[in-house]
Amino acid sequence: MSEPIGTESHPLRVAVIGSGPSGYYAAEELLKQESPRVRVDLFDRLPTPYGLVRGGVAPDHPKIKSVIKIYERTSGRPGFRFFGHVNAGSDLALEELLRHYHQVLFCTGSETDRRMGIPGEDLPGSHPATIFVGWYNGHPDYTHHRFDLDAERVAVIGNGNVAMDVVRILATPTRELAKTDIADYALEALGRSRVREIHLLGRRGPAQAAFTNPEIRELCEIDGADLVIRPEDLELDEASRAFLAAQSEPTYRRNMEILTGQAKKGEGSQPRKIRARFLVSPVAILGQGRVEAIRLEKNRLVPVDSGTVRAQGTGEFEELPAGMVFRSIGYKGLPLPGLPFDERAGTVPHRAGRALDPVSGQPVPRVYVAGWIKRGPSGVIGTNKNDAIESVRSMLADLPQLNAGAGFDPDPEAIPTLLRRKGVRWVSFADWKRIDAAETARGQAQGRPRVKFTAVDEMLALLGE
Ligand code: NAP
């Protein structure tokens, strides 16, 4: 009889794909098990770990990034290996992963943006916020994008925390941003920015806005910009009053208090204005060859069964002149080769983290998901911890039935050998620490936390490739 999986000499071998928060929380949960003993190989298509914590969290939010310390501790655990610059899909096929790992957990997040589906969406000057965020954060996928910030008036669609980040980066003077790890080219472009007026457009009312209290408060406190809210826009209708009364959690009520306090300040005297508008939906982006205006429909709120309210068009329209539009209506997951996918939700169908075959409704053997690719792009970084733990519990519960089949080869050297044979230069955690040290040293010289390498080639060159 063969030795059971999960002993010191025959550990459970898991591949985690994606080194953002959910990948790291899952790795931690797996590695801290006394029994079964687990070995985790964490893969990322970039040479750098930490996913959205590096490429998504705004540069002026260093405290949020300090969660990296926890991920560094996980990276130091026995049984952990990092394989950066390896694309699961093109460099390693799912069958190859399943040949060398007992289980594969996908934590690939939401890599693209949701589409609005309105005319003019792709006019030059209309950008998904996801690209702007990747660009100012120096994510290698987005460095080639250009943002000519030569319009005086811009519109930001959406009221989520990503919209807050985008507005803050556009409104904050570069003398402040220069203290952060924002990409140098973004700092230069923002230094030349002619943006004076930012219109923040919410389709529902102020009482339903998706931003959270610290993020809207920050918009009130930018040195160099006033958040302007018309008091009449804060008058609540019946549906909103009922909505607020039904909330057990105080976020929405506090948002209203913050907005009400801010509305009293009027226009203010700062050079830049952020004008918050509510109950408007963009129905078209207009312009001859580039964005010139945005057509808005006024909304009313209607209650829906689930105790929430939705926006409904009133048939009344207006045009807002704007030279640039940032569409911040949410991220969306991309399909993964060989895995089932729900196109509408942009997620992998799952049951408690077990990837599900949509035809049979049965779990895909040995394949799991966690984080945004599992539940969609919601919550804060910490939300991914419980999400990852749920998936890991399913993985461990499935061990008694696990059958890796004929040809299974759990030798830990098999993957490095395979990658070498394919000519894939992977980046180990020690390699990443060299990149990290070089970035930090470049930052120190300028009084900044780091100056990032924004091209994969630069990173590999530093490692001597
Ligand atoms: P989000 O919180 O889901 O917000 C999306 C916004 O887009 C909502 O205001 C939504 O309105 C609006 N929207 C959706 N479809 C629309 C349409 N067709 N037309 C007009 N508006 C539309 O998404 P997100 O801002 O991308 O953030 C993703 C997650 O990351 C969130 O959980 C967020 O809290 C988190 N995050 C956190 C931080 C932080 O902690 N500082 C920073 C960034 C992101 P409705 O509400 O009406 O649907």
Side-chain angles (χ1 to χ4, degrees):
M1 212 179 110
S2 63
E3 196 183 342
I5 304 162
T7 61
E8 200 55 50
S9 57
H10 190 34
L12 171 69
R13 287 183 36 77
V14 176
V16 177
I17 314 301
S19 67
S22 54
Y24 259 103
Y25 289 126
E28 174 66 21
E29 189 62 19
L30 286 160
L31 290 167
K32 78 177 200 201
Q33 302 294 319
E34 288 293 326
S35 172
R37 302 303 295 174
V38 188
R39 299 282 176 269
V40 172
D41 286 349
L42 180 57
F43 291 86
D44 203 290
R45 66 185 177 84
L46 290 181
T48 53
Y50 312 137
L52 270 190
V53 178
R54 180 178 163 99
V57 171
D60 59 343
H61 278 171
K63 269 202 200 132
I64 299 184
K65 294 189 204 217
S66 62
V67 69
I68 283 175
K69 289 200 194 86
I70 295 171
Y71 308 152
E72 281 181 334
R73 278 205 293 277
T74 299
S75 309
R77 277 189 178 271
F80 174 93
R81 295 190 299 186
F82 178 64
F83 288 88
H85 195 227
V86 179
N87 193 323
S90 55
D91 293 329
L92 287 176
L94 180 57
E95 309 84 75
E96 289 171 317
L97 289 166
L98 288 170
R99 193 175 314 136
H100 300 294
Y101 296 96
H102 295 103
Q103 295 174 326
V104 183
L105 172 66
F106 285 88
C107 303
T108 46
S110 307
E111 293 195 85
T112 188
D113 60 294
R114 286 188 51 219
R115 303 276 300 165
M116 298 205 65
I118 59 173
E121 184 164 11
D122 294 316
L123 271 178
S126 163
H127 306 277
T130 52
I131 292 184
F132 187 58
V133 168
W135 174 80
Y136 65 60
N137 275 324
H139 188 300
D141 286 1
Y142 305 107
T143 50
H144 63 281
H145 285 271
R146 273 181 65 99
F147 289 93
D148 296 320
L149 301 163
D150 51 6
E152 287 204 7
R153 183 187 276 178
V154 306
V156 177
I157 303 169
N159 264 341
N161 282 335
V162 170
M164 298 295 106
D165 287 345
V166 167
V167 170
R168 219 175 47 254
I169 295 297
L170 289 169
T172 300
T174 41
R175 63 171 186 276
E176 292 301 321
L177 297 175
K179 299 173 190 163
T180 74
D181 65 3
I182 191 167
D184 279 344
Y185 56 76
L187 196 58
E188 265 172 48
L190 287 160
R192 291 192 303 271
S193 164
R194 296 182 55 206
V195 173
R196 287 290 167 270
E197 216 176 73
I198 303 159
H199 288 250
L200 176 62
L201 308 174
R203 67 175 168 182
R204 294 192 290 162
Q208 296 82 27
F211 46 67
T212 42
N213 305 148
E215 283 67 26
I216 187 64
R217 209 172 279 125
E218 273 179 303
L219 281 204
C220 304
E221 291 166 359
I222 298 174
D223 184 13
D226 293 300
L227 172 63
V228 184
I229 302 152
R230 298 185 304 200
E232 61 269 32
D233 285 353
L234 299 182
E235 285 165 17
L236 299 183
D237 63 359
E238 185 55 41
S240 288
R241 282 197 297 273
F243 172 84
L244 279 185
Q247 300 303 313
S248 54
E249 209 257 332
T251 299
Y252 294 109
R253 278 192 295 276
R254 290 216 182 111
N255 275 347
M256 279 305 295
E257 286 162 19
I258 297 165
L259 294 171
T260 306
Q262 188 63 20
K264 289 186 184 136
K265 296 184 187 161
E267 277 288 307
S269 56
Q270 308 271 12
R272 282 184 170 138
K273 304 292 171 201
I274 304 161
R275 299 189 185 279
R277 296 279 312 274
F278 298 98
L279 292 172
V280 282
S281 277
V283 290
I285 298 174
L286 311 170
Q288 296 295 325
R290 63 164 297 122
V291 173
E292 290 168 13
I294 178 164
R295 188 165 157 81
L296 300 172
E297 181 171 15
K298 293 195 181 145
N299 293 330
R300 71 167 74 85
L301 295 172
V302 290
V304 280
D305 290 347
S306 53
T308 184
V309 294
R310 72 177 173 82
Q312 187 182 63
T314 59
E316 198 184 327
F317 297 90
E318 67 173 271
E319 262 178 41
L320 175 73
M324 229 179 165
V325 172
F326 295 89
R327 310 180 317 262
S328 185
I329 65 159
Y331 286 76
K332 194 169 182 213
L334 288 174
L336 299 156
L339 259 71
F341 194 66
D342 177 340
E343 279 294 341
R344 203 189 49 80
T347 54
V348 172
H350 74 97
R351 193 181 302 134
R354 297 172 179 95
L356 287 187
D357 181 324
V359 180
S360 66
Q362 293 301 310
V364 181
R366 305 195 283 131
V367 177
Y368 302 82
V369 285
W372 279 7
I373 194 66
K374 168 185 172 190
R375 71 171 195 281
S378 66
V380 292
I381 289 171
T383 314
N384 294 296
K385 187 169 179 182
N386 281 341
D387 180 308
I389 290 174
E390 181 196 51
S391 300
V392 168
R393 287 206 179 122
S394 297
M395 294 164 76
L396 300 179
D398 291 350
L399 287 187
Q401 295 86 42
L402 193 146
N403 178 5
F408 184 68
D409 173 14
D411 178 357
E413 280 315 303
I415 283 289
T417 304
L418 183 60
L419 290 175
R420 251 180 245 118
R421 207 172 66 220
K422 293 182 177 209
V424 178
R425 195 291 182 216
W426 76 91
V427 172
S428 67
F429 200 75
D431 289 336
W432 150 246
K433 289 306 285 178
R434 286 171 61 203
I435 298 172
D436 185 31
E439 287 187 343
T440 315
R442 298 194 321 172
Q444 222 161 23
Q446 299 179 24
R448 299 167 65 186
R450 72 177 61 237
V451 174
K452 287 180 186 170
F453 293 104
T454 59
V456 169
D457 286 352
E458 273 183 311
M459 300 181 205
L460 297 183
L462 176 91
L463 298 175
E465 296 303 306

